[in-house]
Amino acid sequence: LKMAEQIAELREQIRLKHQNNRNVDEEIFQLSMFLVQSPYQKDVKEGINYLKDLYSRCGAHREYEFFLASGYYSLGRYVDALKLLDNLIQREPNNYQAKHLRERVKKNLSEDDMKGMALVAGTVVAGATIGLLLSRLLKK
């Protein structure tokens, strides 16, 4: 509930600042940090969209990249997360948070690759079995 309250408060701050034609980038960034950590995909996607906008308008800030990578990780978009984290670590080789998230991304990417290979192998075996059975039935 606390996260929901903070999100609602930030949305209100953004609304008020917009009315007064004031810059809302900091509030949008704070809101996006909460959204990408949400358990709801809709929130994570919204947070990613805000971060992508900030990233394109304001440049490559490490916070934008890290939380954008975190959002991609949450959605299972591991390759996108890895690209951002590799760029960030190249510029900041001692960034422990980025390195830690990168390891988690790589672990999940490896697990997904293994699942994909197992699925392909299972499909090939099933196809070969069906082909063998059909060829035997047609010979009779």
Side-chain angles (χ1 to χ4, degrees):
L1 186 63
K2 187 175 181 176
M3 182 185 284
E5 291 171 359
Q6 290 173 315
I7 288 172
E9 184 179 314
L10 284 165
R11 289 186 193 280
E12 180 62 14
Q13 288 176 16
I14 291 167
R15 187 187 68 75
L16 291 172
K17 279 192 166 186
H18 265 300
Q19 284 180 344
N20 296 319
N21 294 321
R22 294 179 57 204
N23 187 307
V24 293
D25 287 348
E26 181 60 33
E27 288 79 6
I28 288 175
F29 173 65
Q30 290 175 12
L31 175 62
S32 68
M33 286 182 355
F34 283 110
L35 292 171
V36 297
Q37 296 176 47
S38 170
Y40 305 107
Q41 279 195 359
K42 179 181 175 232
D43 289 345
V44 175
K45 289 176 183 178
E46 182 182 4
I48 285 172
N49 287 334
Y50 284 135
L51 286 164
K52 284 171 40 178
D53 178 60
L54 289 170
Y55 188 83
S56 69
R57 289 188 300 106
C58 304
H61 290 79
R62 72 176 179 195
E63 292 85 6
Y64 299 165
E65 286 178 311
F66 179 79
F67 284 100
L68 190 53
S70 182
Y72 285 145
Y73 172 75
S74 294
L75 294 179
R77 293 176 56 183
Y78 303 130
V79 173
D80 293 326
L82 201 56
K83 286 178 188 176
L84 286 166
L85 292 166
D86 284 345
N87 288 336
L88 179 55
I89 292 168
Q90 184 177 8
R91 287 194 321 277
E92 296 182 21
N94 296 323
N95 188 321
Y96 174 76
Q97 281 185 307
K99 285 181 174 182
H100 181 69
L101 181 57
R102 184 177 185 272
E103 289 307 311
R104 289 181 18 216
V105 169
K106 287 178 76 173
K107 180 180 180 224
N108 283 326
L109 191 58
S110 296
E111 289 174 1
D112 279 2
D113 287 346
M114 296 299 265
K115 288 176 189 173
M117 287 189 294
L119 182 63
V120 168
T123 303
V124 168
V125 169
T129 303
I130 291 170
L132 183 61
L133 289 173
L134 285 175
S135 69
R136 286 188 180 177
L137 285 173
L138 292 175
K139 286 183 179 179
K140 290 182 179 181

